[in-house]
Amino acid sequence: MAIEYVPKGTVFDYDDVMLVPNRCVVKSRSEVNVSTVFGGRTFNIPVVPANMSTVVDETTAEWLAEHGCFYIMHRFAPFEPVEFTRTMKGKGLFSSISLGIKEGDYEVLQKFREADATPDYITIDVAHGDSEEVFKIVKTIRSMFSRVFIIAGNVATAEGAQRLANAGADAVKVGVAPGSACLTAPNTGFGSRGWQLSAVEMVSQALDASHPHVKVIADGGIRQFGDIAKSIAFGADFVMIGGMLAGHDENPGEIIDIDGKPHKAFFGSASEHQKGEHKHVEGKKMFLPYRGSLSVTLNTIKEHLQSSVSYAGGRELEDLRQSGYVRLK
């Protein structure tokens, strides 16, 4: 018989809770500061586009860095991480890349050492991050590059997050299968879909107690702008978003006409379209309505977050963590 896993009581997701307003202390929402420090750098908002090939490429990454936003470049061919890092550093911009856990990823690390062009951020991007192979490569990176900010994931439990922190991760991505283009939950029966916000809370509380310096990235399940504020309120330091930040001018891909309306492709990293073969498929391909400039959406996120903080009775992003909430179900 399967073991019920409810260590903190009844679990919940974004649609199951609502934050409770508090006395407003600002004259205007524009006064609210929603910038955040992550890995020693200050970013305009605590939001990062998902490191998927339909969301970010070299051009998108450069644009985001130039506009005060964090990014994580995807790890899929024909991307060359060493050359990318050199290019970004040559332009005075920070470098943030992704790696997997295969032999070729260790070869990339060696190339970085030989090229003397270490990236500022390395994300170990694996669907099931609570893995001995992930712990191994995190430890390897930490031993080779002491100053690199290491992001590792994905996990759905406090124990998994603590194991990544013990291995040397500076930040942990939380979320297994909650994304709109992910098929892990229906195909395997596993994941945090339906209790993603609860997973974020459990991991955040556990790391606050055992590894307070380790950051939490809520990854997946964001359907509405208010879900970003809820993620921060329940302990996330950053929020990774896929579909909501896809389909723009700055995102990779061509505009496709569907029924007379412009769209752009969006597919999961474990999809057949990304893998190039039908093997262990846990992602699907979708077509999203074309959304114009990414800057408009990012500014909208900033404005909504400023409003959220004002409703929380605060002036700074972290004031969201003092919010009360009610369970709707």
Side-chain angles (χ1 to χ4, degrees), residues 261-280:
K261 297 181 180 180
H263 290 72
K264 272 192 159 185
F266 174 67
F267 48 79
S269 296
S271 67
E272 179 178 359
H273 302 279
Q274 185 66 75
K275 289 170 172 274
E277 60 178 342
H278 191 81
K279 182 180 180 180
H280 295 302

Side-chain angles (χ1 to χ4, degrees), residues 36-43 70 94-95 119-122 147-151 170-171 213-215 217 237-238:
T36 189
V37 177
F38 191 73
R41 289 173 175 79
T42 300
F43 298 100
F70 185 52
F94 72 93
S95 173
D120 300 296
Y121 301 82
I122 296 180
R147 296 185 179 181
V148 169
F149 190 91
I150 303 174
I151 302 167
D170 297 296
H213 67 284
V214 175
K215 304 295 185 181
I217 301 177
D237 298 285
F238 240 83

